[in-house]
Structures are given as C-alpha cells and as structure tokens.
Amino acid sequence: MTGLNTIGRSLLSDDPDVLDGSSAGKRHASSGARWLKAVRSIQTGLVLAWFVMAVVALWALFPQWFTSYSPTVGVARQQLRAPSAEHWLGTDALGRDLLSRIIYGAGNSLSGAFVAVGVGLLVGTTLGIVAGSARGRIDGAIMRGVDVLLSIPQLLLSLSIVILLGFGIVNAAIAVGVTSIASFARLARSEVVRVRTSDYVEAAFGSGGTFGRVLWRHILPNSLTSVIAFAALQLGWAILTISTLGFLGYGAPPPTPEWGLLIAEGRNYIARAWWLTTVPGIVVILTVLSANRISQSFGKAKA
C-alpha cells in the first residue's frame, strides 16, 4: 500500500496539467502580491498634496477657466451674501465674488513665492558654493555675514526691507527672498564641504582634474539635491510669509486679490460673514501643508 501511494504521488507530480496549474497559481499569487504592494506603496497624503498644488497652479495660470466673475468689480446689492449656488463661497463687503478673488489671488501669491524662493536659491546657493569651495578667509567672511542675517528675525527683516523698497507684491517677494538667503547659503556650504572631502572628489583631483572641472562635474551635482528639496520646503514658507505681509498691509494694495489681503479685509466682518476669513485661511493652510509634504518626499527620495 505504501508503494502504491508513493507511485501515485510520483505520477501526480509528473503530470503536466498539474504542474501547469501549480505554476499558474504561483504566478497568480505573485502578481497579486506585487499589485497589493504597489497599492500599499501609494501615499495618499502625497497624492493629495500634488493634487492641491496642481489645482492652485491652474488657478494661477488659467483663472478664467474656473470663474466668470471679476475679482475687482463688485455687484450692486450683492454685499456680504452667504455661500449659495450663484456665489459658491459668498461675496465680500463690496459685492465681489470671494471664489473669484481667491482664484485670481493664487497668481499673485504663487508668483511672489516663486520670486522669493528664486532670490534665496540663486543668491544663497552661490554664496554657499563660493564659501565651501574657497574656504579660508573668504569662507569666514561670507559665513559671518550669514550669521548676522540668521540673528535677525525673518519677519522683522522682511518688514524692514519692504518699508525701504515700498509696498507691493514684488517688493514683498524680494524681501522674503532676502531673508532666506542665509538658510540657503548655510545648507549649500555644508553640502559642498561634505562632498569635497569624499574619496571620489579627491581621486578626481589626484588624476589631474582642474578645480573648475571637478566642481562642475562632481561637487555641484552631488551637492544641490538637498538644496532643491529645501527650495520646495521654502516655497510653502514663502507663501505663508507673503500672506502675512499682505495681512499686515505691506503686500499687494487693494483691490488687488491676494490671499493675505483677503483675510485682512474679511476680519472686520467675521461675526456677520465668517467665510471671508475662514475660506482664504483654509486655502493658505492647505497650500503650505501640500508644499511641505512634497518637499518631505524629495528629502526621502534623496535618503
């Protein structure tokens, strides 16, 4: 009986149909496991962050796609209307559609944030690269200036620069960008110093490479990844700071739609029309959190 069972199992294991079915089942399970792993790897928060930033970017580039109302001209007898089918987010004290002002305000807020990040990225990274590459007295002089900038509160420095330059979204963006120069410079210098002391850079110098060639081909490409990730983080900070300046009255002048200015204009009517401050505030918070979440993903990808 034992011999028959052994022969039966042997014949069953050699059956092509059985083998094919077993292999197909394993492939099926393997593909199912890969699909389940791919689904689990999707980060819902990151997807939502990209979605929010995509919507805000479309608002800034093509505001006329999303609203037919003017952001600056009000409608008579439509003041302080609550959200409705006609005005989805209500109207302000002058009868202007709030959704329209938020959508058109995205262009001013985002463009100002990009200018601010661009100023900090360009000037700060250049100073950091020069300091990390030259070392010695040049490094010391640049970093002492960076320490001075870091010792001044950023909002206070931004207000001082705006007062000197004059009010306006561009001047506010430049002021915010100047305050971020020190952070970019310090990060860029630390990355350049780290990469410059690595073995492959020393080998490149030992094989006869000039300083400029080694800097361009080896040091910069391996130093700027962290700087780019930091720039994405600074984008959210710039939006928040520019909105703060607009709220204080140092940003875009009325009736220009700008997120911080919208919050400031609605605070006098918060008891009667809560949506005038609440909705723009939520938009600012979601945009800043989305930019921060995307920057975190860049940092994890680098790690």
Side-chain angles (χ1 to χ4, degrees):
M1 181 64 69
T2 303
L4 290 176
N5 290 336
T6 303
I7 294 173
R9 286 195 297 268
S10 177
L11 291 175
L12 183 61
S13 62
D14 293 336
D15 189 347
D17 295 334
V18 174
L19 289 176
D20 291 344
S22 177
S23 301
K26 290 180 179 178
R27 286 196 300 269
H28 213 27
S30 178
S31 61
R34 286 196 299 268
W35 179 84
L36 184 59
K37 184 178 180 180
V39 171
R40 288 178 177 176
S41 65
I42 297 176
Q43 301 179 23
T44 305
L46 183 60
V47 173
L48 291 176
W50 277 110
F51 175 76
V52 170
M53 293 305 296
V55 170
V56 173
L58 289 176
W59 283 356
L61 295 174
F62 311 103
Q64 66 278 3
W65 288 2
F66 300 92
T67 180
S68 59
Y69 291 100
S70 170
T72 56
V73 179
V75 179
R77 297 184 298 276
Q78 294 274 334
Q79 295 87 352
L80 299 179
R81 292 293 180 89
S84 61
E86 183 180 4
H87 299 282
W88 290 2
L89 297 180
T91 61
D92 63 4
L94 298 178
R96 296 171 296 192
D97 183 72
L98 180 60
L99 177 60
S100 176
R101 288 181 62 75
I102 291 175
I103 291 173
Y104 278 89
N108 292 318
S109 297
L110 272 191
S111 60
F114 276 112
V115 170
V117 173
V119 170
L121 179 63
L122 180 62
V123 179
T125 303
T126 302
L127 291 176
I129 291 173
V130 172
S133 302
R135 308 299 293 273
R137 293 183 178 179
I138 296 177
D139 181 21
I142 292 176
M143 296 315 295
R144 295 298 76 74
V146 168
D147 291 339
V148 171
L149 287 177
L150 289 175
S151 66
I152 304 174
Q154 292 182 329
L155 183 59
L156 177 60
L157 183 59
S158 299
L159 289 173
S160 302
I161 295 173
V162 168
I163 293 174
L164 292 175
L165 296 179
F167 300 164
I169 190 68
V170 176
N171 292 338
I174 294 174
V176 173
V178 171
T179 62
S180 65
I181 288 176
S183 300
F184 277 104
R186 182 175 289 276
L187 177 61
R189 177 190 176 275
S190 64
E191 289 296 307
V192 169
V193 171
R194 178 185 63 82
V195 174
R196 188 178 179 183
T197 57
S198 58
D199 294 338
Y200 63 88
V201 173
E202 295 295 336
F205 279 119
S207 61
T210 62
F211 177 78
R213 185 178 180 84
V214 173
L215 178 67
W216 181 256
R217 295 193 60 184
H218 299 286
I219 297 178
L220 290 184
N222 293 283
S223 302
L224 296 182
T225 306
S226 297
V227 177
I228 298 301
F230 183 67
L233 179 63
Q234 288 294 102
L235 180 65
W237 171 82
I239 293 173
L240 185 60
T241 307
I242 290 174
S243 298
T244 302
L245 293 176
F247 178 83
L248 296 175
Y250 295 97
T256 304
E258 192 272 325
W259 289 346
L261 180 61
L262 296 183
I263 299 173
E265 290 177 342
R267 61 182 171 176
N268 296 326
Y269 307 95
I270 193 168
R272 295 176 53 195
W274 55 267
W275 55 89
L276 295 180
T277 53
T278 303
V279 177
I282 292 175
V283 171
V284 172
I285 292 173
L286 289 178
T287 305
V288 172
L289 291 178
S290 299
N292 291 348
R293 182 65 184 86
I294 293 173
S295 69
Q296 291 175 2
S297 68
F298 289 161
K300 291 180 181 179
K302 175 183 177 296

